[in-house]
Amino acid sequence: MTDTPWWRGAVIYQIYPRSFLDTDGDGVGDLPGIIERLDYVAGLGVDAIWIAPFFRSPMADFGYDIADPCDVDPLFGTLADFDRLLAAAHARGLKVMIDQVLSHTSEEHAWFKESRQSRDNPKADWYVWADAKEDGTPPNNWLSIFGGPAWRWEPRRGQYYLHNFLAAQPDLNFHHPEVRAAVLDNLRFWLDRGVDGFRLDSINFCFHDAQLRDNPAKPKEQRTGRGFSADNPYAFQYHYYNNTRPENLAFLEELRALMDRYPGSATLGEISSEDSLATMAEYTSGRRLHMGYSFELLTDDFSAAYIRDTVRAQEAKMSEGWPCWAISNHDVERVLSRWGNGHASAAMANQLTALVCSLRGSVCVYQGEELGLTEAELPYEALRDPYGIAFWPEFKGRDGCRTPMPWSDDEHAGFSSATPWLPVPPEHRTLDVARQQANPASALNGYRRFMQWRRAQPALRHGAIRFLDTPEPVLAFVRELGDERVLAVFNLSAAPVEFALPLPGDLQPLDGHGLVAGTLDGERLRLPANGSLYARIL
């Protein structure tokens, strides 16, 4: 497999820098904090890190509103700190991917400050501007995912500007060739510094419908989607015109042409559309994105049927491209709370890691998954996320998955010498890294065992996948690479199960993965609660 690109089958560890480790005592994590913990990250057995935005920003959306995409915000450090981080990661065999937000900027970006001044300045058409209707209302019915209309009035121009997210995040006009060129120049800046790739935030939002046509209404029974709930007005529309426009495909090919000039670099596109699986297939076919980031397991549904049907559907649609799976990230409730049903445990944490890391594709794992962290319950007065504040109390926002990493039993769990930007929940204090490192049976040590074992299983990293029809709550599939065939079986419940395997041939159970293991008795398989079985098919 020496010719296989590093990113195919890679495990990418997502670092949310605000909450990783604070070294300067301001209560917010920073780049030197990541450097200080790179030995820890490398020891997890992952292949790469993905660092959420650390660029200069007013922090209206905690870094996803970027004022200067080619500089480090002083809150996180300096460009010199980033260069040290990059060198230190590479010295440990870790690839480095960084977030890039292409579709919009901060309202504090120099481009927008110029654009908003008049209708005839050099940057006048760099953002999406439109006249009001005759009655003064916005030009169409598009909505912001964070609530309310996607248009904000600008008195200096006497026009509205588009914002698909916060009003402080104006959308760039990708129909303008100078905008596309400038965005690619920003990517080139980081490629020249040596980054190994980009995670591209909301990549299907770059282009808008130039005719500004209204989005059609969506029937109540179909108000579903990723990243928003059915009671958010955003769910009341089909988003055909404000994102996922056909013009985006040519831009992705321009972007890929740039990446191809930096051998070994990779792109991971975050895609959430009306048909995300179809869009992922389209965006990763031909010379476009290297990988598509799937939202389809960032759901409440944890049935074997849902996982099996979702992966099968993606496999059917994604004949050329390469998927990247995730079950947690900085935007959704932590997986042990979503899927744990009150049964969160080290065994379950390790099983969920094993499951997602055994699917065909690459994997993004989120900081704290290795510790078995659950979602933090924060009071309203502790919230910082504008999304959660706007939709409280039905939706509590994203702060519950962004609380600081617990490193030790010191004050503030060893995250900071000062009061952290979000509180460390009491239930996380017993799950700190130091405590778990000393416990052979901890989630952390189980995570390390599995990741090291997976490295020695080429079929799990690179092979094809074929699902078996098994009864709930059992998920089973075969990974095949050449003559190697590995069976993976998971009991997704807190009760033991026993059943006959619908698979001919002899099986040789594999050990060393560190999971709660099932047993074989002829054709019958017994799996304890949250039990798993890996076996070579002879």
Side-chain angles (χ1 to χ4, degrees):
M1 305 304 299
T2 54
D3 294 333
T4 302
W6 68 264
W7 47 268
R8 290 182 76 96
V11 176
I12 304 165
Y13 184 83
Q14 182 195 352
I15 294 176
Y16 191 69
R18 293 184 71 90
S19 299
F20 199 60
L21 181 67
D22 169 30
T23 61
D24 61 4
D26 63 359
V28 176
D30 44 48
L31 296 184
I34 298 175
I35 297 170
E36 192 169 313
R37 290 290 187 260
L38 280 177
D39 284 337
Y40 166 82
V41 175
L44 295 174
V46 300
D47 302 288
I49 58 175
W50 147 31
I51 309 173
F54 51 84
F55 316 106
R56 194 173 289 273
S57 166
M59 302 295 166
D61 191 25
F62 297 102
Y64 283 90
D65 53 316
I66 298 174
D68 185 346
C70 297
D71 197 9
V72 174
D73 194 280
L75 190 68
F76 298 121
T78 65
L79 272 173
D81 289 328
F82 178 79
D83 291 339
R84 288 195 302 116
L85 190 164
L86 193 62
H90 286 165
R92 290 161 174 79
L94 293 169
K95 302 292 186 180
V96 178
M97 303 186 79
I98 62 174
D99 244 313
Q100 289 287 283
V101 185
L102 306 189
S103 70
H104 57 267
T105 71
S106 165
E107 63 183 347
E108 296 299 317
H109 197 296
W111 296 349
F112 187 71
K113 286 182 175 181
E114 183 174 355
S115 186
R116 77 191 313 176
Q117 293 303 318
S118 68
R119 301 190 186 194
D120 57 3
N121 65 75
K123 300 287 193 298
D125 296 327
W126 279 41
Y127 290 81
V128 183
W129 296 99
D131 293 331
K133 292 181 178 179
E134 287 298 316
D135 62 0
T137 56
N140 62 27
N141 71 346
W142 297 353
L143 295 171
S144 161
I145 197 169
F146 288 164
W151 297 95
R152 168 65 66 91
W153 181 254
E154 172 48 67
R156 278 161 282 203
R157 288 181 58 129
Q159 285 184 306
Y160 285 96
Y161 68 83
L162 175 67
H163 60 91
N164 278 294
F165 299 93
L166 294 177
Q169 295 168 296
D171 275 62
L172 285 162
N173 177 19
F174 271 73
H175 292 283
H176 197 309
E178 291 180 10
V179 170
R180 299 195 299 273
V183 164
L184 294 178
D185 279 344
N186 291 340
L187 297 183
R188 189 178 293 107
F189 173 87
W190 294 104
L191 290 166
D192 286 341
R193 295 193 96 84
V195 301
D196 302 289
F198 302 113
R199 184 265 192 183
L200 300 168
D201 186 73
S202 306
I203 190 60
N204 57 307
F205 279 78
C206 290
F207 281 84
H208 66 287
D209 175 48
Q211 299 177 53
L212 301 181
R213 286 171 285 188
D214 280 349
N215 282 325
K218 181 181 286 188
K220 188 173 183 179
E221 65 275 9
Q222 296 182 29
R223 291 175 185 172
T224 58
R226 304 290 176 253
F228 55 89
S229 58
D231 60 350
N232 183 340
Y234 192 82
F236 292 26
Q237 297 179 352
Y238 290 105
H239 294 278
Y240 295 152
Y241 296 116
N242 63 308
N243 63 56
T244 324
R245 302 300 301 155
E247 298 93 334
N248 213 28
L249 297 176
F251 172 69
L252 294 181
E253 289 165 3
E254 287 184 69
L255 192 159
R256 179 59 177 266
L258 169 64
M259 302 299 293
D260 287 347
R261 293 198 284 274
Y262 295 82
S265 65
T267 50
L268 170 60
E270 181 199 42
I271 300 162
S272 179
S273 67
E274 291 296 340
D275 186 346
S276 294
L277 295 182
T279 304
M280 285 178 62
E282 187 176 42
Y283 279 26
T284 57
S285 65
R287 305 300 294 174
R288 295 170 185 160
L289 299 177
H290 297 84
M291 297 176 280
Y293 183 85
S294 176
F295 281 71
E296 302 308 306
L297 297 184
L298 299 172
T299 58
D300 293 335
D301 196 338
F302 178 46
S303 64
Y306 175 78
I307 297 171
R308 181 170 54 243
D309 292 348
T310 297
V311 180
R312 275 177 170 167
Q314 186 164 66
E315 287 290 305
K317 292 183 177 183
M318 210 169 185
S319 57
E320 286 186 64
W322 189 254
C324 185
W325 299 100
I327 54 177
S328 282
N329 67 19
H330 63 293
D331 284 335
V332 298
E333 183 181 5
R334 282 193 176 272
V335 69
L336 273 187
S337 296
R338 280 196 346 268
W339 289 356
N341 295 318
H343 299 290
S345 64
M348 184 178 193
N350 291 154
Q351 184 197 52
L352 295 181
T353 295
L355 190 163
V356 72
C357 290
S358 297
L359 298 176
R360 177 183 174 270
S362 303
V363 185
C364 284
V365 294
Y366 181 47
Q367 66 184 45
E369 281 183 58
E370 74 274 20
L371 303 177
L373 299 187
T374 53
E375 184 80 354
E377 288 292 329
L378 301 178
Y380 178 79
E381 57 271 17
L383 295 186
R384 304 289 299 276
D385 180 14
Y387 196 10
I389 292 169
F391 282 91
W392 176 275
E394 296 303 316
F395 173 62
K396 298 178 181 179
R398 302 164 294 178
D399 290 322
C401 63
R402 297 177 174 183
T403 54
M405 278 281 286
W407 294 102
S408 68
D409 61 1
D410 294 337
E411 188 178 16
H412 307 307
F415 165 74
S416 176
S417 59
T419 301
W421 75 286
L422 284 174
V424 179
E427 63 271 21
H428 288 185
R429 291 183 176 276
T430 59
L431 298 172
D432 67 72
V433 170
R435 189 186 312 249
Q436 292 207 35
Q437 286 186 149
N439 177 8
S442 68
L444 174 59
N445 282 316
Y447 186 100
R448 288 170 170 162
R449 279 191 293 273
F450 178 80
M451 290 298 185
Q452 294 296 339
W453 179 81
R454 179 182 180 271
R455 282 180 177 269
Q457 307 297 327
L460 293 185
R461 290 174 65 91
H462 307 294
I465 191 168
R466 174 170 55 90
F467 282 86
L468 306 180
D469 291 322
T470 49
E472 293 289 348
V474 176
L475 181 71
F477 50 86
V478 177
R479 300 294 309 276
E480 302 177 70
L481 184 67
D483 296 332
E484 181 81 359
R485 293 188 297 162
V486 174
L487 169 70
V489 189
F490 303 93
N491 171 16
L492 305 181
S493 77
V497 296
E498 180 178 342
F499 66 102
L501 269 174
L503 186 73
D506 295 329
L507 297 176
Q508 177 187 32
L510 297 171
D511 56 19
H513 47 68
L515 303 172
V516 176
T519 57
L520 275 170
D521 183 6
E523 293 184 354
R524 302 221 35 103
L525 175 59
R526 297 184 179 89
L527 290 172
N530 299 129
S532 308
L533 176 88
Y534 287 92
R536 183 170 287 109
I537 304 173
L538 303 175

